[in-house]
Amino acid sequence: MATPENTSHHTDTDFTALPELGDEVFTAPLARPEHVGEDWVEPAQTNYTSEDHSVWNALFARQMEVLPGRAASAFMAGLDKLDLSRGGIPEFGELSEELDKLTGWSVIPVPMLIPDHVFFWHLANRRFPAGNFIRTRETFDYIQEPDVFHDVFGHVPMLTDPVFADYMQEYGRAGWKAMRYNRLKALGALYWYTVEFGLIEEAEGIRAYGAGILSGPTEAKFAVEAQSPNRIMLNVDRVMRTDYVISDLQPTYFVIESFDDLYRQTVERDFDRLYRNLAPGFTYANSAVIDVDNVVNRGTQEYHLRGGNGSGAAPI
Ligand SMILES: [Fe+2]
């Protein structure tokens, strides 16, 4: 329950202008390309070739083989609302117009990596920064940096859900606080286990809403159906103390009961107190099941015990 002491979130910050970063705040030193301003927004979206568009179409078709019955209904509805099946890489201006009508969000083109504070600032203003480039046939299955397919196909449909859209804005606001306490790693884990790899309990069963799951062919099956991973009900405090895997399938997924619950857990959390109490590193291993967990399925961890990625282990 909210009490007066823990509802003082973010009212102290004005997000209209890019706030100054204090000297005590550490951010990764990224060199800003000369053609972008302080907001890091590209002057225009890339002019894609017909090969680029056909790569998008092939990726889209592959996901549509896998996602029905595995993706959250909010995601499938988002694809429809934005008419993403019309073919080709969407034009961000048109996409933003549609999205603006639905939830007041827009999509803006940015270089591959942008500084954390700029990313948070855009989210806090309901702008989703999306990478411009698209992978090639050679890098079809594995890309190191998120491309336009991951960012637009994976993330943007969820922004049509009004509650999830609000959650993303809250996340951007929470980012400022995390930077001041030097707890970006913990907030990063929350993003990872919700926005990228989140699962939701629906009437028909567990479904995926995380973009990292939905934009690739293997993890949708693994996250939703495999015996190997743990599935645990999401608890924001617990998740922010949990390590995660960057370049392999996750040993553990966290499940929300609804987007309302996710939003509530985030806005009602006293992040000042949480950040003060968090250790700088993670407390829990990514495969751990702990006493306080509300466990949906305890996984066998067979995939990771057999060596995971590169070992030939089947994602079962
Ligand atoms: Fe992403």
Side-chain angles (χ1 to χ4, degrees):
M1 276 300 289
T3 63
E5 297 82 59
N6 67 12
T7 50
S8 60
H9 49 92
H10 64 67
T11 42
D12 53 340
T13 314
D14 172 17
F15 294 97
T16 49
L18 189 59
E20 294 287 320
L21 275 189
D23 292 340
E24 73 288 0
V25 177
F26 174 80
T27 56
L30 288 176
R32 179 158 56 90
E34 267 170 31
H35 68 280
V36 300
E38 293 281 314
D39 61 6
W40 286 67
V41 178
E42 295 276 4
Q45 196 182 355
T46 302
N47 274 319
Y48 301 104
T49 63
S50 58
E51 168 62 9
D52 292 337
H53 287 296
S54 79
V55 167
W56 169 284
N57 291 342
L59 289 165
F60 190 97
R62 181 170 72 173
Q63 287 316 97
M64 294 321 281
E65 298 274 301
V66 180
L67 295 186
R70 297 190 177 102
S73 43
F75 177 86
M76 299 306 283
L79 287 179
D80 271 354
K81 289 184 211 168
L82 297 170
D83 193 20
L84 284 183
S85 60
R86 76 185 97 164
I89 303 168
E91 201 272 306
F92 289 4
E94 275 172 40
L95 194 59
S96 298
E97 234 171 84
E98 291 305 310
L99 200 51
D100 183 50
K101 279 184 237 161
L102 295 164
T103 55
W105 274 77
S106 61
V107 181
I108 50 171
V110 294
M112 255 185 280
L113 283 175
I114 65 172
D116 290 325
H117 70 292
V118 179
F119 179 68
F120 294 140
W121 177 62
H122 285 306
L123 293 185
N125 286 285
R126 297 173 96 86
R127 293 186 294 263
F128 188 75
N132 238 333
F133 84 106
I134 184 147
R135 69 195 80 179
T136 60
R137 302 265 173 197
E138 289 71 48
T139 53
F140 205 70
D141 289 323
Y142 183 71
I143 45 162
Q144 242 158 6
E145 305 292 351
D147 69 346
V148 67
F149 186 76
H150 169 84
D151 278 340
V152 171
F153 178 88
H155 285 284
V156 173
M158 286 307 302
L159 293 172
T160 65
D161 181 274
V163 181
F164 190 82
D166 286 349
Y167 169 72
M168 286 292 274
Q169 180 174 27
E170 284 303 325
Y171 184 88
R173 290 170 166 175
W176 289 103
K177 213 164 252 185
M179 284 197 300
R180 288 205 297 274
Y181 284 96
N182 195 17
R183 288 293 178 269
L184 275 186
K185 204 172 160 168
L187 195 72
L190 181 61
Y191 193 85
W192 195 261
Y193 283 120
T194 60
V195 180
E196 295 292 354
F197 293 98
L199 299 180
I200 183 168
E201 212 169 41
E202 295 194 349
E204 296 74 29
I206 300 271
R207 297 287 184 267
Y209 69 90
I213 300 177
L214 299 169
S215 56
T218 310
E219 197 146 7
K221 292 181 194 162
F222 183 78
V224 172
E225 287 146 26
Q227 302 292 310
S228 190
N230 301 319
R231 297 181 188 86
I232 298 172
M233 294 309 286
L234 180 108
N235 169 315
V236 166
D237 281 35
R238 190 301 198 206
V239 160
M240 287 175 80
R241 291 175 162 84
T242 306
D243 198 2
Y244 53 85
V245 171
I246 291 178
S247 53
D248 202 347
L249 304 169
Q250 300 302 308
T252 300
Y253 297 90
F254 289 93
V255 185
I256 57 171
E257 53 189 67
S258 63
F259 296 117
D260 280 317
D261 181 54
L262 174 63
Y263 180 78
R264 222 174 18 243
Q265 282 204 46
T266 312
V267 296
E268 288 182 359
R269 195 67 189 82
D270 179 357
F271 277 96
D272 283 303
R273 203 166 84 193
L274 177 63
Y275 292 146
R276 280 196 299 271
N277 292 331
L278 279 178
F282 290 124
T283 308
Y284 306 120
N286 50 41
S287 59
V289 176
I290 61 170
D291 285 355
V292 299
D293 286 341
N294 178 359
V295 179
V296 182
N297 312 119
R298 185 168 190 145
T300 60
Q301 296 300 328
E302 180 175 339
Y303 170 75
H304 290 91
L305 291 171
R306 285 181 183 272
N309 206 359
S311 70
I316 52 172

